[in-house]
Amino acid sequence: MRLFLLTSFTMIAFASNSILTRMAIEPGFIDPISFALIRVLAGAAFLCGMVLLKGGNLPWTGRARLLGASSLAVYMVGFSLAYVTLDAGLGALILFGVVQISMFSYSALIGLRPGARQVIGAAIAFSGLLTALWPDESGGHSIWGALFMVVAGIGWAGYTLVGKNAQNPLAETAANFAICLPMLLLLTGLFVDQVTITGVLLAVLCGAVTSGLGYALWYKVLPELQRSVAAVVQLSVPIIAIVAGALLLGEPLTLAIILAAALVILGVAMAVTKQSVPADHS
């Protein structure tokens, strides 16, 4: 029960990143760049504080730090800019689909031959992603918002691949957040536009709680989950975001979004799980 509750809370936290970002940026409480900067600052403070309180050290140097912080910066900026126009649920679905397809493509490029089940699953997920990205004739979402989220998904896939062999995931994540902050300030600081107390509070909540605490909990439960289970439970994130977006933000649940979600989740589920082997009754 404890593992189930911790895992559920973690998935809700991940989905909440989309909800909080949309709540802050769409009404104009804060501009996207300021939100990204404050989110990274709050996340870095929380994660670094956790590591130091536990008596750990922060790994500041190495190629992985530079690549990790850079890909994290790409994700943060793309994610915030996307939610100027995208609904929270649709954005989470696009992000999830792009991350999974990017990682699948990378594995294929480095010579890891996918099986037929994986290829079919990736093709189904890709068709769902195309459905989500298809221009909305009613003007329900901007193609620019979708493209920014694609960039965010590629950034997060890169971040995931860089950290795949991390010796101390929590400490390395904390260092990545801390190094990412000056990068973002240098590259985007001039584009800071509008900041309100409400926007700052939502950004801090997103950075410290749903990002920082969410990542910390994920690293805590991950060793206790089977690899296939860990992959499958993440399928719940876009679903939670879509439902929460509809309930909390009044976002429309269109047939296209439902179809896209079903295709992406079915495809990814096929790709990340092994085909069950029939029991031997002989």
Side-chain angles (χ1 to χ4, degrees), residues 3-21 23 39 75 79 83 88 92 205-206 209-215 217-218 221 232-245 247-248:
L3 182 61
F4 172 79
L5 291 175
L6 286 175
T7 303
S8 299
F9 182 84
T10 304
M11 296 303 103
I12 291 171
F14 288 165
S16 296
N17 286 326
S18 294
I19 301 298
L20 291 170
T21 304
M23 285 176 66
R39 180 186 177 189
Y75 158 74
F79 191 85
Y83 280 126
L205 185 60
C206 185
V209 180
T210 59
S211 294
L213 181 59
Y215 299 156
L217 285 175
W218 183 234
V221 302
V232 171
V233 295
Q234 294 179 75
L235 299 174
S236 64
V237 173
I239 296 300
I240 295 169
I242 289 171
V243 173
L247 295 176
L248 300 176

Side-chain angles (χ1 to χ4, degrees), residues 152-246:
I154 294 172
W156 190 254
Y159 184 82
T160 303
L161 291 168
V162 169
K164 198 170 183 180
N165 298 316
Q167 300 299 312
N168 188 338
L170 184 59
E172 293 184 32
T173 298
N176 286 336
F177 265 72
I179 296 170
C180 176
L181 184 59
M183 283 185 175
L184 282 179
L185 277 170
L186 181 64
L187 296 173
T188 65
L190 293 176
F191 298 97
V192 169
D193 181 35
Q194 179 179 352
V195 177
T196 67
I197 295 297
T198 300
V200 169
L201 291 175
L202 288 169
V204 169
L205 185 60
C206 185
V209 180
T210 59
S211 294
L213 181 59
Y215 299 156
L217 285 175
W218 183 234
Y219 294 138
K220 182 177 180 61
V221 302
L222 199 53
E224 301 181 50
L225 296 173
Q226 294 180 5
R227 188 171 181 178
S228 60
V229 174
V232 171
V233 295
Q234 294 179 75
L235 299 174
S236 64
V237 173
I239 296 300
I240 295 169
I242 289 171
V243 173

